[in-house]
Amino acid sequence: MHLVRHKLSAAFFLALGSLTQAGEADPVITEDYFLGEIPVVLSASRLAQPVSESPAAMTVIDRATIEASGAINIPDVLRLAPGFQVSHISGQNLTAQYHGFADQNPKRMQVLIDGRSVYHSAFGGVHWDSLPITLNDIERIEVLRGSNAAAYGSNAFMGVVNIVTRKASRDRGHELTALTGYQGTRSLEWRFGDRIGDLDYRLSLGAFETDGFPDYDWTHTYWDSTGGPVAPETVLTGTPLLAETQRYSLAREDSQSIGRINWRGDHQLENGNSLLFELGYTRNDRDNTLHNGNFDLLRPDQNLRTSHQLAKWSGQLASGGELSVQLYHNRLDFDSRHIDTWIERDSGILINVGPTLGGHKLINDRYDLEVQHNLPTRGGWRTVWGAGARIEQLDSENFVVDDRDIERRQLRLFGNTEKHFGERDQWVLNAGLMLEHQQDQGNFASPRVAVNYHVDELNTLRIAAARAYRMPSFYEQFGETARFALDPSPLKPLVPSPTPSHYVLYSNRGFDIEPEEIRSIEFGLHRATGIEGLSLDIRIFREELRNYIDAVLHDDGCNGCDTNPLRPKHDIWVHENAGWMDMHGVDLQTNIRVSDRTDFIGSASMVRADGRRIRKRDSSGLVTDDQPIDDFVPKVTFSALWSHRFDHGWSGSIGLYRMGLMNWPNEGDRLEPYDRVDVRLAKSMRLEGSDLQLELIAQNLLDDDYTEFRGDNAFERRVYLRAKLEFD
């Protein structure tokens, strides 16, 4: 069956190339082409096309909308896209995902910055707080809602977020931005742009700090056998602890410090050719500890260092069309090693085992080369094709089996083609295919076919079908972590078991995992902006996810895998293909130009989900517990942003956000629905050759506290003051 599938896929891809015959050449596409009145996007098919002719549902968030939102980080802006769930894990560490499954490392969405994937293969997902750019660097964000592996390969599984930064030529002179506010949050950004010969460049520096979430009221602690409330780390190793209940305030170290540097250069060559260079580095230190003596809530501090280098050449070919060659390198340096007091539960009694070394350290490198060829339009067909190669490398401690170095190679071949037909060119056919070879996984084909029908000049109907895959992360496929006792002496008197010198918590040794697969079909209606100033997009979808990857608890799964021979067999966690999910629903999006000064943006998503996952197996491998996971996807999400420009440089906006009940997987909690109201008031003024803007931003203005990701993350009213000064 697999052989037949790949033969058919290869034949389909070859047919793509044969569709182009002799014909006319395309006009040169400039940046202004994407900034006009009619939204034009690249993220759907790698072909520049109006949103109404896209093969998938698109949300375009432009610079004006980003500013009006009052957001202070990139994920917060994504709340404006239908069906997105955004939440703080701690401090400035956020998670974001389209249509649920958003744990601390959301793995089912591709994120690009100027064509460079920032999806990391170690854990999967994106470290949003470690990106080298800030909101000031962004020109627009294109959000594709649905699978797009046909254009960007595996991991463009349930959506694509394409962040397009501003060309360096648009930012001349200096810009200073300062922010201060809630819980010691403060940031300072400096940007400078200039031109040397034919090279436009921009340098950005930024620093951000926050004290994170406030202290939290807790209702659980542990007492020692003497009856006095104490923290476990102060109790003699081996002493039983009796559980009692007492309400008290949980003190947390939830602070975070981030430093960024980013450089972009745009070099114009002869004959319209161009070079793009980007360099970036981020230093990110997260504190994430809850001081209440509860062993379930001890979480490690994390230190992240990320860097990247990108070079891209684009040029017009003498034979017609355009060729681009892109090369980049990403590095993630992650260190969460920490020492904790380890409390073990045995027969209902808690035992202070003593200090142990946990966490892990890793360096994850990616080298990626891609060539893309936009063929000249021939016979009405517009076609783009290309090929790429990628090497992923991992060097780690206490992260994978035997701490071995891992290298994964990927080859890809892709193509997308588009043609108008019909008496009035009212039909648009779009077909795409991605062929991938993944080392250790095999060969995969991800096709997509879409047909758009222009009912009239304003209204377009769309039907599309796609298939996509998600490759398991390094941790899912090869992971193994353990705790190491700092005093592993077997003579230490302990009750009831000896201190583990090497206690395996998680291991994927000997287990094979298949990539996740999703099949989707969607119907859409797009209404373009007309005289009425109204645009509307409706996406009706069904998505079937199979081979869902999750951690499963195996009873007595570690039998002799610890280094201490006195340690009995015990339970461990193992990643496997543990479940499935079916989703169907509707996304709604509207933009209304109420007047020349007033705009309204609204979105809503209603989803019905049905799925199950395995949670536990016994020592013989039989399933002993499985659970429904329909609440991994909230049934309703909603957002609305109203903005208005007043006289004398004043402007303001009101944002309303609602998210239904959601169970955040893995380290998250099942949280109740919430509503949130944000308000922004700004004043712009001219000061002796400089432009100054002052902003007052209030998030959760009504102060109806709710929780994000975990029950101890209390989101209160947050107020910030931001100032931006531009000068030569």
Side-chain angles (χ1 to χ4, degrees):
M1 183 63 186
H2 286 284
L3 181 60
V4 173
R5 180 186 70 183
H6 294 309
K7 283 185 175 181
L8 289 174
S9 300
F12 177 68
F13 185 83
L14 291 174
L16 274 177
S18 66
L19 290 174
T20 58
Q21 303 296 330
E24 67 277 9
D26 284 327
V28 176
I29 297 174
T30 66
E31 182 72 13
D32 293 334
Y33 188 57
F34 297 94
L35 303 177
E37 292 296 326
I38 301 176
V40 175
V41 293
L42 272 174
S43 305
S45 63
R46 295 178 181 250
L47 292 166
Q49 55 197 172
V51 171
S52 61
E53 297 180 0
S54 165
M58 297 290 302
T59 299
V60 180
I61 305 174
D62 60 20
R63 189 172 178 85
T65 303
I66 294 173
E67 184 173 291
S69 71
I72 64 171
N73 54 64
I74 296 174
D76 255 349
V77 176
L78 298 178
R79 296 179 190 269
L80 296 172
F84 266 76
Q85 291 78 51
V86 179
S87 192
H88 287 76
I89 301 172
S90 64
Q92 191 67 3
N93 180 17
L94 286 92
T95 180
Q97 179 68 47
Y98 177 62
H99 283 171
F101 294 97
D103 60 10
Q104 61 273 27
N105 293 294
K107 308 170 181 65
R108 297 168 182 86
M109 184 174 67
Q110 180 66 272
V111 179
L112 307 168
I113 300 178
D114 296 328
R116 175 180 65 91
S117 171
V118 293
Y119 184 102
H120 60 76
S121 56
F123 299 97
V126 176
H127 291 302
W128 292 98
D129 55 348
S130 296
L131 298 183
I133 63 172
T134 64
L135 290 171
N136 285 334
D137 298 317
I138 298 175
E139 185 64 64
R140 68 184 186 278
I141 301 175
E142 298 179 3
V143 181
L144 185 142
R145 293 174 281 114
S147 299
N148 198 21
Y152 294 104
S154 58
N155 304 326
F157 191 70
M158 297 178 70
V160 175
V161 174
N162 183 19
I163 301 172
V164 181
T165 64
R166 293 170 58 85
K167 281 195 170 183
S169 59
R170 294 182 175 271
D171 294 318
R172 297 288 176 84
H174 299 265
E175 180 180 278
L176 282 174
T177 304
L179 178 140
T180 185
Y182 175 82
Q183 281 286 102
T185 299
R186 51 215 176 268
S187 72
L188 182 64
E189 300 172 21
W190 172 72
R191 189 183 70 200
F192 176 72
D194 204 351
R195 183 180 179 90
I196 301 177
D198 294 329
L199 175 67
D200 292 292
Y201 69 91
R202 178 179 65 238
L203 176 65
S204 301
L205 301 175
F208 181 97
E209 292 183 350
T210 183
D211 293 337
F213 282 97
D215 290 351
Y216 181 70
D217 287 337
W218 193 245
T219 57
H220 199 116
T221 188
Y222 294 111
W223 297 38
D224 71 358
S225 56
T226 65
V230 296
E233 58 268 22
T234 66
V235 181
L236 182 66
T237 301
T239 303
L241 302 176
L242 303 180
E244 298 288 349
T245 299
Q246 175 180 330
R247 188 173 184 84
Y248 70 108
S249 181
L250 177 155
R252 64 188 298 163
E253 291 181 5
D254 198 26
S255 62
Q256 192 165 352
S257 176
I258 306 171
R260 297 182 175 93
I261 180 171
N262 190 60
W263 183 87
R264 169 171 175 155
D266 296 286
H267 190 195
Q268 297 301 314
L269 305 174
E270 297 179 355
N271 302 322
N273 298 341
S274 64
L275 282 171
L276 168 64
F277 301 99
E278 291 184 357
L279 304 171
Y281 175 82
T282 302
R283 175 191 176 101
N284 183 5
D285 294 327
R286 301 171 179 163
D287 288 329
N288 196 19
T289 303
L290 305 182
H291 291 288
N292 72 327
N294 184 336
F295 73 100
D296 290 325
L297 294 179
L298 289 174
R299 299 191 294 269
D301 297 345
Q302 298 173 342
N303 300 311
L304 295 83
R305 307 290 183 264
T306 65
S307 61
H308 78 277
Q309 306 85 41
L310 176 143
K312 181 177 182 179
W313 173 87
S314 300
Q316 303 293 321
L317 300 179
S319 58
E322 181 178 341
L323 184 69
S324 64
V325 181
Q326 175 178 278
L327 175 66
Y328 71 82
H329 165 244
N330 294 343
R331 167 166 284 197
L332 168 65
D333 188 337
F334 184 94
D335 189 350
S336 67
R337 292 176 298 185
H338 59 282
I339 297 175
D340 277 340
T341 299
W342 189 17
I343 311 300
E344 202 176 23
R345 188 186 300 271
D346 193 291
S347 302
I349 298 177
L350 300 167
I351 304 297
N352 180 8
V353 177
T356 56
L357 177 64
H360 40 252
K361 178 178 174 57
L362 62 92
I363 296 177
N364 185 191
D365 285 296
R366 169 186 294 163
Y367 302 89
D368 190 281
L369 172 65
E370 182 175 278
V371 179
Q372 178 176 306
H373 184 197
N374 290 64
L375 299 174
T377 301
R378 295 174 179 172
W381 290 97
R382 298 174 63 224
T383 303
V384 58
W385 74 281
R390 176 178 297 173
I391 299 176
E392 302 269 12
Q393 296 176 336
L394 182 71
D395 180 10
S396 64
E397 299 175 17
N398 198 31
F399 187 74
V400 299
V401 174
D402 298 329
D403 287 342
R404 68 179 187 269
D405 294 342
I406 296 176
E407 182 173 284
R408 176 188 288 168
R409 297 173 182 266
Q410 179 215 69
L411 298 174
R412 59 188 183 273
L413 186 65
F414 60 86
N416 276 270
T417 191
E418 175 196 271
K419 180 176 174 60
H420 291 69
F421 59 96
E423 293 181 359
R424 297 178 288 106
D425 283 342
Q426 70 271 32
W427 294 92
V428 183
L429 171 66
N430 194 294
L433 179 68
M434 174 71 71
L435 299 178
E436 293 180 282
H437 172 75
Q438 296 276 355
Q439 187 177 1
D440 300 322
Q441 291 293 338
N443 302 317
F444 298 90
S446 300
R448 178 182 58 203
V449 177
V451 176
N452 291 21
Y453 174 68
H454 294 297
V455 179
D456 52 37
E457 293 182 354
L458 297 180
N459 299 288
T460 304
L461 298 175
R462 178 184 67 252
I463 181 171
R467 179 180 66 199
Y469 295 91
R470 181 183 77 83
M471 299 299 121
S473 67
F474 280 139
Y475 190 61
E476 289 172 325
Q477 187 171 359
F478 306 109
E480 181 170 282
T481 58
R483 284 186 179 271
F484 300 89
L486 297 182
D487 186 3
S489 170
L491 300 179
K492 182 183 290 287
L494 293 177
V495 179
S497 60
T499 301
S501 56
H502 178 190
Y503 186 92
V504 175
L505 304 173
Y506 167 94
S507 179
N508 218 40
R509 189 186 299 262
F511 291 89
D512 293 326
I513 300 179
E514 294 290 326
E516 292 182 350
E517 179 180 355
I518 191 169
R519 296 173 183 261
S520 62
I521 185 169
E522 68 177 64
F523 301 89
L525 166 65
H526 179 81
R527 177 179 173 81
T529 301
I531 299 175
E532 302 88 347
L534 168 68
S535 67
L536 176 68
D537 187 274
I538 301 174
R539 178 183 186 241
I540 303 172
F541 60 89
R542 179 174 176 82
E543 298 171 329
E544 299 176 350
L545 190 158
R546 298 296 181 265
N547 293 333
Y548 169 61
I549 300 174
D550 204 351
V552 177
L553 185 64
H554 286 231
D555 287 346
D556 295 333
C558 180
N559 188 3
C561 65
D562 293 330
T563 59
N564 190 336
L566 300 179
R567 183 72 201 175
K569 59 185 178 181
H570 59 86
D571 303 345
I572 60 171
W573 291 92
V574 177
H575 271 111
E576 58 179 88
N577 296 114
W580 58 273
M581 174 73 85
D582 289 339
M583 294 174 285
H584 61 275
V586 58
D587 287 348
L588 304 172
Q589 174 182 286
T590 184
N591 290 21
I592 303 176
R593 174 58 58 89
V594 180
S595 70
D596 291 341
R597 294 187 174 191
T598 307
D599 294 287
F600 175 83
I601 300 172
S603 73
S605 182
M606 291 153 282
V607 183
R608 286 185 61 88
D610 181 28
R612 299 192 73 86
R613 65 167 176 171
I614 300 170
R615 291 300 294 150
K616 193 173 184 180
R617 295 184 184 273
D618 62 19
S619 57
S620 62
L622 297 178
V623 176
T624 57
D625 181 24
D626 69 329
Q627 300 174 349
I629 54 174
D630 54 284
D631 56 2
F632 280 12
V633 185
K635 290 182 172 60
V636 176
T637 55
F638 171 84
S639 70
L641 179 68
W642 174 87
S643 60
H644 182 77
R645 294 172 294 281
F646 302 94
D647 293 330
H648 308 298
W650 288 93
S651 62
S653 64
I654 299 176
L656 173 63
Y657 307 95
R658 176 174 177 79
M659 189 165 74
L661 182 147
M662 180 174 175
N663 189 356
W664 297 86
N666 299 323
E667 290 189 6
D669 293 331
R670 192 174 189 267
L671 302 180
E672 294 300 314
Y674 70 81
D675 295 295
R676 167 175 150 181
V677 177
D678 294 356
V679 174
R680 170 185 176 267
L681 181 65
K683 168 68 173 176
S684 298
M685 62 192 79
R686 183 75 175 168
L687 299 175
E688 297 182 356
S690 302
D691 292 314
L692 174 65
Q693 183 182 74
L694 299 176
E695 295 175 89
L696 180 64
I697 301 166
Q699 298 177 342
N700 195 23
L701 177 68
L702 303 182
D703 199 22
D704 186 9
D705 292 2
Y706 67 92
T707 52
E708 289 198 343
F709 195 73
R710 283 190 292 258
D712 52 87
N713 290 344
F715 200 101
E716 306 171 313
R717 179 191 294 132
R718 301 184 173 193
V719 179
Y720 304 98
L721 178 65
R722 182 162 58 191
K724 182 185 297 184
L725 179 66
E726 297 181 35
F727 58 96
D728 294 333

